Amino acid sequence: MKLLLAIVNNDDAHYVNTCLTSEGFHVTKISSTGGFLMNGNSTFLIGVEDENVEKAIDVIKNNSQKRQMNMPPIEQGNSARIATGKNVISVGGATIFVLNVEQYIHL
Ligand code: 2BA
Protein backbone atom coordinates (compact mmCIF):
# COMPACT_ATOMS: atom_id res chain seq x y z
CA MET A 1 0.00 0.00 0.00
CA LYS A 2 1.07 3.59 -0.64
CA LEU A 3 0.14 6.96 0.79
CA LEU A 4 -0.11 9.71 -1.80
CA LEU A 5 0.47 13.15 -0.44
CA ALA A 6 -0.69 15.57 -3.10
CA ILE A 7 -0.43 19.37 -2.84
CA VAL A 8 -2.99 20.92 -5.19
CA ASN A 9 -3.89 24.49 -6.11
CA ASN A 10 -7.05 25.58 -4.28
CA ASP A 11 -8.70 26.44 -7.61
CA ASP A 12 -8.43 22.76 -8.64
CA ALA A 13 -9.02 21.15 -5.26
CA HIS A 14 -12.78 20.77 -5.60
CA TYR A 15 -12.49 18.88 -8.93
CA VAL A 16 -9.64 16.72 -7.68
CA ASN A 17 -11.64 15.84 -4.57
CA THR A 18 -14.85 15.10 -6.47
CA CYS A 19 -13.17 12.98 -9.13
CA LEU A 20 -11.04 10.99 -6.68
CA THR A 21 -14.03 10.14 -4.50
CA SER A 22 -16.25 9.29 -7.47
CA GLU A 23 -13.53 6.90 -8.68
CA GLY A 24 -13.75 5.21 -5.27
CA PHE A 25 -10.61 6.59 -3.63
CA HIS A 26 -10.69 7.42 0.06
CA VAL A 27 -9.40 10.93 0.59
CA THR A 28 -8.58 13.36 3.37
CA LYS A 29 -8.24 16.99 2.35
CA ILE A 30 -6.23 19.33 4.54
CA SER A 31 -6.03 23.10 4.16
CA SER A 32 -2.38 24.07 3.76
CA THR A 33 -0.22 27.06 2.86
CA GLY A 34 2.68 27.22 0.41
CA GLY A 35 5.84 28.36 2.14
CA PHE A 36 7.00 30.50 -0.79
CA LEU A 37 3.93 32.43 -1.96
CA MET A 38 2.10 31.91 1.35
CA ASN A 39 -1.11 31.27 -0.57
CA GLY A 40 -3.62 28.68 0.54
CA ASN A 41 -3.47 25.30 -1.17
CA SER A 42 -4.93 21.86 -0.43
CA THR A 43 -3.07 18.77 0.65
CA PHE A 44 -4.72 15.42 -0.06
CA LEU A 45 -3.87 12.26 1.84
CA ILE A 46 -4.89 9.23 -0.22
CA GLY A 47 -4.25 5.67 0.93
CA VAL A 48 -4.18 3.39 -2.13
CA GLU A 49 -3.30 -0.16 -3.04
CA ASP A 50 -0.12 -0.34 -5.13
CA GLU A 51 -2.00 -1.27 -8.30
CA ASN A 52 -4.16 1.88 -8.06
CA VAL A 53 -1.36 4.42 -7.59
CA GLU A 54 -1.10 5.32 -11.30
CA LYS A 55 -4.87 5.68 -11.58
CA ALA A 56 -4.98 8.10 -8.63
CA ILE A 57 -2.09 10.12 -10.08
CA ASP A 58 -3.90 10.29 -13.44
CA VAL A 59 -7.07 11.61 -11.78
CA ILE A 60 -5.03 14.34 -10.05
CA LYS A 61 -3.12 15.11 -13.25
CA ASN A 62 -6.31 15.39 -15.32
CA ASN A 63 -7.91 17.80 -12.88
CA SER A 64 -5.09 20.16 -11.96
CA GLN A 65 -3.31 22.64 -14.15
CA LYS A 66 -0.17 24.73 -14.14
CA ARG A 67 -0.81 28.47 -13.99
CA GLN A 68 1.21 31.64 -14.04
CA MET A 69 0.88 33.83 -10.95
CA ASN A 70 1.99 37.37 -10.34
CA MET A 71 4.31 37.64 -7.38
CA PRO A 72 2.47 39.38 -4.53
CA PRO A 73 4.19 42.40 -2.95
CA ILE A 74 7.16 41.40 -0.80
CA GLU A 75 5.63 42.94 2.33
CA GLN A 76 2.72 40.49 2.09
CA GLY A 77 4.86 37.44 2.55
CA ASN A 78 8.15 35.68 2.65
CA SER A 79 11.11 37.95 1.97
CA ALA A 80 13.01 34.94 0.55
CA ARG A 81 11.08 35.68 -2.66
CA ILE A 82 13.27 38.73 -3.30
CA ALA A 83 16.08 36.42 -4.34
CA THR A 84 14.21 35.08 -7.38
CA GLY A 85 13.92 38.52 -9.03
CA LYS A 86 10.81 37.27 -10.89
CA ASN A 87 7.48 39.07 -11.28
CA VAL A 88 5.60 36.04 -12.57
CA ILE A 89 5.98 32.49 -11.35
CA SER A 90 4.71 29.13 -12.58
CA VAL A 91 2.66 27.26 -9.97
CA GLY A 92 1.47 23.67 -10.26
CA GLY A 93 -0.52 21.67 -11.18
CA ALA A 94 0.14 19.34 -8.37
CA THR A 95 3.10 18.15 -6.34
CA ILE A 96 2.74 14.50 -5.42
CA PHE A 97 4.77 12.42 -2.99
CA VAL A 98 4.34 8.63 -3.03
CA LEU A 99 5.19 7.07 0.35
CA ASN A 100 5.40 3.43 1.37
CA VAL A 101 2.89 2.49 4.07
CA GLU A 102 4.25 0.18 6.74
CA GLN A 103 0.89 -0.54 8.33
CA TYR A 104 -2.71 0.45 7.62
CA ILE A 105 -5.03 0.19 10.60
CA HIS A 106 -8.66 1.08 9.98
CA LEU A 107 -10.78 0.59 13.11
P1 2BA B 1 4.71 27.58 -2.60
O1 2BA B 1 5.77 27.17 -1.64
O2 2BA B 1 3.93 28.81 -2.24
O3 2BA B 1 5.42 27.76 -4.03
C1 2BA B 1 4.73 28.34 -5.13
C2 2BA B 1 5.61 28.34 -6.37
O4 2BA B 1 6.75 29.18 -6.13
C3 2BA B 1 6.19 26.96 -6.70
O5 2BA B 1 5.28 26.26 -7.51
C4 2BA B 1 7.47 27.31 -7.43
O6 2BA B 1 7.22 27.66 -8.78
C5 2BA B 1 7.92 28.59 -6.70
N1 2BA B 1 8.86 28.33 -5.60
C6 2BA B 1 8.64 27.67 -4.46
N2 2BA B 1 9.71 27.69 -3.65
C7 2BA B 1 10.65 28.41 -4.32
C8 2BA B 1 12.00 28.81 -4.00
N3 2BA B 1 12.55 28.45 -2.84
N4 2BA B 1 12.68 29.54 -4.92
C9 2BA B 1 12.10 29.90 -6.09
N5 2BA B 1 10.83 29.57 -6.45
C10 2BA B 1 10.10 28.83 -5.56
P2 2BA B 1 5.16 24.68 -7.35
O7 2BA B 1 6.53 24.07 -7.42
O8 2BA B 1 4.17 24.21 -8.34
O9 2BA B 1 4.64 24.41 -5.86
C11 2BA B 1 3.28 24.67 -5.47
C12 2BA B 1 3.12 24.39 -3.99
O10 2BA B 1 3.37 22.98 -3.77
C13 2BA B 1 4.13 25.12 -3.10
O11 2BA B 1 3.67 26.41 -2.80
C14 2BA B 1 4.22 24.21 -1.89
O12 2BA B 1 3.10 24.40 -1.05
C15 2BA B 1 4.08 22.82 -2.52
N6 2BA B 1 5.37 22.20 -2.81
C16 2BA B 1 6.02 22.17 -4.01
N7 2BA B 1 7.16 21.47 -3.93
C17 2BA B 1 7.26 21.04 -2.66
C18 2BA B 1 8.23 20.26 -1.96
N8 2BA B 1 9.37 19.78 -2.54
N9 2BA B 1 8.01 20.01 -0.63
C19 2BA B 1 6.90 20.48 -0.02
N10 2BA B 1 5.93 21.21 -0.63
C20 2BA B 1 6.12 21.50 -1.94
Side-chain angles (χ1 to χ4, degrees):
M1 187 176 206
K2 299 280 191 269
L3 178 69
L4 304 192
L5 208 155
I7 303 160
V8 174
N9 193 296
N10 267 350
D11 292 341
D12 298 325
H14 175 74
Y15 299 104
V16 169
N17 195 5
T18 304
C19 291
L20 282 170
T21 48
S22 65
E23 291 286 345
F25 291 103
H26 291 218
V27 167
T28 296
K29 177 176 167 291
I30 300 172
S31 295
S32 45
T33 304
F36 192 68
L37 292 179
M38 294 190 173
N39 282 342
N41 51 31
S42 296
T43 299
F44 290 88
L45 306 180
I46 314 149
V48 291
E49 296 304 334
D50 288 13
E51 61 270 24
N52 290 325
V53 168
E54 287 310 317
K55 184 177 173 191
I57 291 173
D58 279 346
V59 172
I60 298 167
K61 199 187 288 178
N62 294 337
N63 288 283
S64 55
Q65 47 183 287
K66 242 187 211 326
R67 37 177 68 78
Q68 305 294 313
M69 285 192 61
N70 292 321
M71 285 281 225
I74 299 298
E75 61 272 15
Q76 284 180 20
N78 185 346
S79 58
R81 292 194 319 243
I82 299 168
T84 67
K86 293 180 185 165
N87 294 323
V88 176
I89 201 155
S90 168
V91 183
T95 302
I96 306 173
F97 299 88
V98 182
L99 311 176
N100 285 322
V101 173
E102 199 164 307
Q103 244 188 320
Y104 171 59
I105 302 167
H106 187 212
L107 303 172

